[in-house]
Amino acid sequence: MTTDVPVHKPVPGSVDIDVKVPVRGVAVIEIRRPPNNFFDAALISLIADIAHTLASDNDTRAIVVASQGKNFCAGADFNSVSGAAQISADEGARELYSAAARLFASELPLVAAVQGAAVGGGMGLALAADFRVAGPRSRFAANFSRIGLHHGFGMTVTMPRIVGTQYATDLLLTGRNIDGAEAFRVGLVDRLVDDDAIRDSAILLATELATTAPLALRSIRKTLRRGLAEAVATATDHERAEQAWLRATNDFAEGVRASADRRTPTFIGR
């Protein structure tokens, strides 16, 4: 595997996503909504589109999903117009999870470079990858129960698959934060490196994948992930239905307000 001069592939019509080829065979899809890199359905759909386009390009053999700025992804922004418009309505959630299922169905291996926080749906995005590279200061939280909402992004399937049912139950019910060291200890993170080396280490792992026989790589990965995209599609149908009625509750409204105010919410069970 030879190292090339980095190649930049601008994404037409988008300032939120950038694609670079730092090493032959490896593409880096970078989310550019710093510092928190909140997503909406359009952003996830664009990532899925790019992943599928790269899979049809024989020059690309592995993908790194990275983000610009302090955090990998803080999920959906309930306080922004774009975030709320995309996911507060049931149809918006349907669009989002349809895009997520397409991302799971992409043919190339994905490595998530997780700096800072991967929270809520941002953690779900990280779990869509085959591998996660993080540092001691990386932070993971499926914080849905702490804002009065049901988890989404197929985490019903992905989290138990990666860390086991009991640990997944712990994280989903408590909504607690874990750091990179704990995430590595339980298998949520595959490589724990210095915080300033996360992206380079993710590219190094993707480069290792890209040196293998490409047809065999896709074949083995397809076998290992057999049925995953379909299971995620089924799971997100249920997750979306649960989210729909919970969004209408006082507890959800309080959870979102408390999160914006950086205070402990007061839930009343209504």
Side-chain angles (χ1 to χ4, degrees):
M1 184 62 58
T2 58
T3 301
D4 296 332
V5 174
V7 176
H8 177 239
K9 295 184 177 182
V11 180
S14 175
V15 296
D16 296 326
I17 291 286
D18 194 38
V19 180
K20 291 185 173 66
V21 182
V23 176
R24 187 185 302 275
V26 175
V28 177
I29 301 175
E30 182 182 62
I31 302 171
R32 309 188 98 186
R33 290 181 174 178
N36 294 319
N37 294 298
F38 292 112
F39 66 65
D40 52 24
L43 184 71
I44 299 301
S45 182
L46 183 55
I47 293 172
D49 288 343
I50 294 169
H52 282 278
T53 298
L54 291 171
S56 66
D57 176 3
N58 290 330
D59 292 333
T60 306
R61 299 184 181 182
I63 297 171
V64 173
V65 180
S67 298
Q68 185 183 65
K70 179 181 178 181
N71 295 311
F72 175 72
C73 180
D77 186 359
F78 296 104
N79 297 304
S80 74
V81 173
S82 60
Q86 289 291 348
I87 71 166
S88 62
D90 186 60
E91 188 56 41
R94 189 189 304 273
E95 180 184 350
L96 171 65
Y97 293 144
S98 175
R102 288 196 300 110
L103 179 60
F104 277 96
S106 64
E107 296 183 20
L108 293 176
L110 305 173
V111 180
V114 185
Q115 85 282 7
V119 177
M123 185 173 177
L125 176 59
L127 296 183
D130 300 82
F131 301 97
R132 284 150 295 283
V133 178
R137 292 199 298 271
S138 298
R139 181 167 58 88
F140 297 84
N143 66 335
F144 301 92
S145 66
R146 293 178 181 253
I147 60 169
L149 194 63
H150 191 284
H151 59 273
F153 219 100
M155 294 172 77
T156 299
V157 175
T158 56
M159 192 179 292
R161 178 185 175 110
I162 294 168
V163 301
T165 300
Q166 192 60 31
Y167 194 81
T169 301
D170 177 351
L171 294 184
L172 288 170
L173 292 186
T174 67
R176 67 185 179 90
N177 287 293
I178 62 172
D179 60 19
E182 182 173 351
F184 178 67
R185 189 165 59 249
V186 300
L188 184 66
V189 163
D190 302 281
R191 302 285 191 277
L192 185 68
V193 300
D194 291 342
D195 289 291
D196 59 0
I198 292 172
R199 184 177 298 204
D200 287 345
S201 296
I203 292 171
L204 184 62
L205 174 53
T207 301
E208 184 177 356
L209 296 170
T211 62
T212 65
L215 297 180
L217 177 69
R218 291 196 189 199
S219 177
I220 294 168
R221 181 177 182 270
K222 184 177 180 180
T223 298
L224 292 173
R225 289 170 70 100
R226 183 178 181 181
L228 178 59
E230 294 79 6
V232 166
T234 299
T236 52
D237 283 344
H238 173 76
E239 292 168 354
R240 177 177 55 81
E242 291 299 303
Q243 288 177 338
W245 74 265
L246 284 166
R247 282 195 200 96
T249 64
N250 292 330
D251 278 354
F252 175 65
E254 165 64 6
V256 172
R257 285 194 301 267
S259 178
D261 296 341
R262 298 184 178 276
R263 60 175 172 81
T264 301
T266 302
F267 294 128
I268 59 174
R270 292 200 298 272

